[in-house]
Amino acid sequence: MTTELATAATELVEEEDHRLVIFAWSGDLDKIWPTLILSTTAAAMGWSVTVFFTFWGLFPLVRNDVRITGENWMQKMMSMMNRGGTEHLKLSKMNFAGAGPKMMRKLAHDHKVADPQELLEMAKDMGVRLVPCQMTMDLLGLDRASLIDGLDEPAGATTALLDADGATTLFI
Amino acid sequence: MNVTITKTLDLKGLSCPLPIVKTAKAMKELRSGDVVEVLATDPGSVPDFQAWCRATRNELIEQTAEDGTYHYVIRKR
């Protein structure tokens, strides 16, 4: 009886919902990549996963075909110098004016490592919640129309913190 | 070994996290008790499949390696 109870208890604990919350702050290729790898893997393990995209982390969510974003000249200038979209990400080191990311993508392709775009689609497919930060969207001039489809409703810090409460959290 | 394979996934050549993610996706469409066979070449898939089966409580019935190809047989819980 005791053993049965113990087994039942263990199963209950194991059944408990595992949650992973990632704060994606960086828009660098080499940071958004592990963010997407970890979130798709966690979803594969049956965890519920939420990624909050804030500050530079929002830029990878910009549609690849959108060139200039923002309403005023400052926001427009920012998008000129920091083009959004998964196809236009930079490396945090060894960027070499864009040669670095090209080489990295070539290596990834040769080693059959999924690229960020593929992982992003997969994340959506696996039910990963992708939440853009409303405040940064306003600040950087990234409106909903310039961002990709399949995102959750934009939210704020309170939502993010409540979601992160008791979950495994990462700030990348 | 005497189990009926419900589905075979050829994930040779793919790198982390694709073998696990693709297996998880395929398993969603199967029923409890169904058996899936996975072929992979990523050496990292060995600890990953063990950990994933532990975490998801799917049963890793068999695991073999031959000429750089890893072969997993998993029963859906």
Side-chain angles (χ1 to χ4, degrees):
Chain A
M1 188 62 196
T2 332
T3 353
E4 275 173 35
L5 273 177
T7 318
T10 324
E11 279 183 13
L12 265 181
V13 171
E14 282 178 15
E15 284 296 333
E16 214 176 273
D17 194 21
H18 277 276
R19 292 184 298 122
L20 171 68
V21 174
I22 301 180
F23 294 87
W25 169 84
S26 167
D28 291 336
L29 176 63
D30 44 1
K31 300 226 175 65
I32 211 74
W33 216 327
T35 296
L36 293 169
I37 289 172
L38 289 170
S39 48
T40 47
T41 305
M45 287 162 69
W47 297 16
S48 12
V49 189
T50 307
V51 187
F52 283 99
F53 293 88
T54 186
F55 275 87
W56 309 116
L58 273 175
F59 281 90
L61 299 181
V62 171
R63 290 173 194 278
N64 279 314
D65 56 355
V66 169
R67 179 64 192 95
I68 304 291
T69 52
E71 284 174 0
N72 55 52
W73 69 269
M74 285 178 287
Q75 291 172 339
K76 283 185 176 138
M77 186 76 98
M78 189 137 51
S79 67
M80 289 258 293
M81 293 185 293
N82 184 49
R83 181 168 185 184
T86 48
E87 288 169 10
H88 313 106
L89 305 176
K90 292 172 185 153
L91 282 174
S92 65
K93 55 200 300 190
M94 302 202 294
N95 191 54
F96 301 129
K102 278 215 180 71
M103 279 189 262
M104 188 63 87
R105 282 175 194 277
K106 167 99 175 67
L107 283 172
H109 181 78
D110 293 350
H111 289 262
K112 292 205 184 166
V113 174
D115 66 21
Q117 184 58 36
E118 192 181 346
L119 288 167
L120 194 56
E121 292 306 323
M122 219 168 257
K124 285 194 269 185
D125 234 38
M126 312 264 311
V128 173
R129 293 180 56 215
L130 306 169
V131 185
C133 160
Q134 180 68 65
M135 183 276 280
T136 343
M137 283 169 68
D138 299 341
L139 181 77
L140 304 177
L142 301 170
D143 57 2
R144 193 63 193 78
S146 57
L147 301 182
I148 57 168
D149 294 328
L151 302 178
D152 261 56
E153 283 305 302
T158 312
T159 313
L161 286 175
L162 277 177
D163 226 58
D165 189 27
T168 301
T169 53
L170 299 170
F171 187 94
I172 304 179
Chain B
M1 194 186 63
N2 193 17
V3 290
T4 318
I5 307 287
T6 317
K7 193 180 175 101
T8 299
L9 297 171
D10 184 356
L11 306 177
K12 293 198 287 282
L14 298 180
S15 292
C16 173
L18 291 182
I20 291 286
V21 173
K22 287 196 185 266
T23 302
K25 254 183 87 176
M27 292 276 265
K28 270 191 188 166
E29 277 138 44
L30 300 180
R31 281 177 304 186
S32 180
D34 283 352
V35 175
V36 70
E37 170 189 50
V38 182
L39 300 171
T41 47
D42 172 23
S45 69
V46 177
D48 275 6
F49 267 95
Q50 288 168 356
W52 182 77
C53 286
R54 246 193 344 266
T56 54
R57 294 202 282 140
N58 292 304
E59 189 193 348
L60 185 56
I61 304 171
E62 199 190 81
Q63 176 195 331
T64 50
E66 203 184 326
D67 299 329
T69 299
Y70 303 94
H71 180 243
Y72 306 96
V73 180
I74 305 164
R75 181 181 284 124
K76 181 168 172 158
R77 64 178 274 217

